[in-house]
């Protein structure tokens, strides 16, 4: 058995001094504590080491760990990068192309900032009102009660109301209507113009280039941050091609790695990516990876919250 602890991060920032302290992320001080813990208890390896294991069965050390960062936040540059450099560790960063080429916010991040700006009770009440306003006016979809029954499923980090709010604005409605409602709510509750906030929260191409020169690894996270398993084959192909094109100069074109947005994959998605030159894939399935048994295109990950100082959940896996 070749075990690999793959850790998943999103926001890492000085939460209490940030514009939106309620955003769900790891506080900077806790991140530094966690990296110190990893330096004492694990051997943090490079993405190239994992690829080499598959290519040549080059052995990995005991208690091997890979650090992965999703979505391309400026946090990666301002907070994460200096700490990793201090400890001589590599991080693997997965950035949707749209955030640094078009400087607009992804819907997933609009939802995060909505949840950080108002209570879930207020947001769900407003969402129900929006659904009622558009239902029958050129849009047809189930009743609010039916939608809540189908999509309100709690997970290990969010209650059922939060999951309902996310899924309605991520996948349940047609994309055009999702965008309309999300923008309506964003303008009402977040209170910062999207174009300003977009330039505040995402990493730039030049910052990524500097990080790569200093040993960090960059992979593919699509272009639009779509649920890949819900895309038609032609749309999936287009999203991957655009994601690869805008990451030119940051990727090894022959051995690139995919990180599925939302952890969304299917057999068809994996097959399409393999045909496009992908060599590894990271999912959001929750367990320690066994490189000898797990499909290398669907490697599971644990969350930063599974490790000290947040918890000791990692001991259960």
């Amino acid at each position: 058995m070749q075990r690999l602890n793959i850790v998943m991060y999103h926001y890492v920032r000085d939460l209490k001094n940030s514009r939106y302290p309620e955003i769900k992320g790891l506080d900077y001080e806790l991140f530094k504590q966690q990296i110190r813990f990893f330096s004492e208890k694990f051997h943090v390896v490079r993405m190239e080491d994992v690829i080499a294991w598959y290519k040549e069965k080059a052995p990995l050390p005991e208690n091997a760990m890979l650090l992965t960062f999703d979505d391309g936040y400026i946090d990666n540059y301002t907070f994460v990068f200096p700490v990793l450099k201090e400890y001589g560790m590599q991080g693997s960063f997965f950035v949707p192309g749209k955030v640094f080429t078009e400087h607009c916010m992804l819907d997933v991040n609009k939802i995060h900032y909505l949840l950080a700006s108002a209570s879930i009770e207020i947001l769900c009440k407003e969402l129900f009102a929006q659904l009622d306003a558009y239902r029958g006016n050129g849009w047809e979809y189930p009743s609010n009660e039916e939608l809540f029954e189908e999509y309100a499923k709690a997970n290990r980090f969010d209650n059922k109301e939060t999951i309902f709010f996310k899924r309605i604005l991520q996948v349940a409605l047609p994309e055009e209507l999702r965008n309309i409602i999300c923008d309506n709510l964003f303008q009402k509750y977040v209170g910062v113009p999207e174009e300003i906030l977009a330039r505040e929260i995402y990493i730039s191409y030049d910052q990524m280039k500097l990080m790569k020169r200093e040993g960090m690894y960059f992979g593919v996270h699509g272009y639009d941050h779509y649920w890949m398993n819900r895309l038609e084959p032609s749309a999936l192909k287009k999203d991957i091609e655009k994601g690869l094109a805008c990451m030119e100069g940051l990727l090894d074109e022959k051995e690139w790695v995919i990180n599925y947005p939302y952890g969304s994959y299917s057999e068809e998605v994996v097959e399409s990516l393999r045909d496009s030159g992908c060599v590894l894939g990271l999912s959001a399935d929750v367990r320690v990876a066994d490189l000898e048994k797990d499909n290398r295109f669907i490697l599971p990950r644990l969350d930063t919250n599974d490790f000290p100082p947040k918890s000791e959940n990692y001991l259960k896996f």
Side-chain angles (χ1 to χ4, degrees), residues 120-251:
I120 189 59
E121 292 78 16
I122 290 174
L123 291 174
C124 280
K125 181 179 179 180
E126 184 74 39
L127 178 57
F128 284 138
Q130 293 274 323
L131 290 170
D132 288 338
Y134 287 102
R135 186 182 290 107
N137 294 318
W139 306 96
E140 298 297 334
Y141 42 86
S143 69
N144 293 350
E145 293 74 18
E146 291 173 298
L147 289 171
F148 193 82
E149 176 67 22
E150 180 175 358
Y151 291 101
K153 312 292 183 184
N155 66 19
R156 66 191 190 121
F157 295 127
D158 290 319
N159 61 31
K160 64 181 182 180
E161 290 79 11
T162 301
I163 293 296
F164 169 74
F165 185 79
K166 288 181 175 181
R167 296 297 178 263
I168 293 298
L169 296 178
Q170 290 171 347
V171 294
L173 302 176
E175 183 176 8
E176 183 181 355
L177 181 57
R178 296 200 309 265
N179 291 339
I180 291 171
I181 294 177
C182 195
D183 286 345
N184 290 344
L185 297 178
F186 190 86
Q187 291 172 20
K188 182 172 182 178
Y189 290 102
V190 177
V192 177
E194 176 187 342
E195 60 272 17
I196 292 177
L197 194 54
R199 290 185 179 273
E200 286 185 6
I201 70 171
Y202 297 122
I203 198 168
S204 73
Y205 181 83
D206 288 340
Q207 288 165 339
M208 289 190 284
K209 285 286 284 185
L210 186 153
M211 291 169 67
K212 179 176 174 59
R213 288 198 301 270
E214 293 296 318
M216 301 299 113
Y217 185 90
F218 284 88
V220 178
H221 206 41
Y223 184 81
D224 275 283
H225 201 273
Y226 285 133
W227 291 68
M228 289 186 168
N229 60 345
R230 294 175 178 266
L231 293 177
E232 294 295 327
S234 59
L236 174 63
K237 185 173 185 292
K238 180 180 179 181
D239 187 71
I240 292 300
E241 287 177 348
K242 290 179 69 176
L244 287 169
C246 67
M247 296 290 285
E248 184 177 358
L250 296 167
L251 304 176

Side-chain angles (χ1 to χ4, degrees), residues 49-63:
D49 299 326
V50 181
I51 295 173
W53 188 92
Y54 281 103
K55 291 176 61 179
E56 308 158 10
K57 287 298 186 285
L60 297 178
E62 187 177 357
N63 294 325

Side-chain angles (χ1 to χ4, degrees), residues 15 43 81 89 94 113 133 156 158 167 175 184 189 213 258 266 302 307:
L15 290 171
H43 291 96
F81 177 44
M89 296 177 180
F94 297 87
Y113 280 84
R156 66 191 190 121
D158 290 319
R167 296 297 178 263
E175 183 176 8
N184 290 344
Y189 290 102
R213 288 198 301 270
I258 186 75
S266 65
L302 300 180
F307 294 91

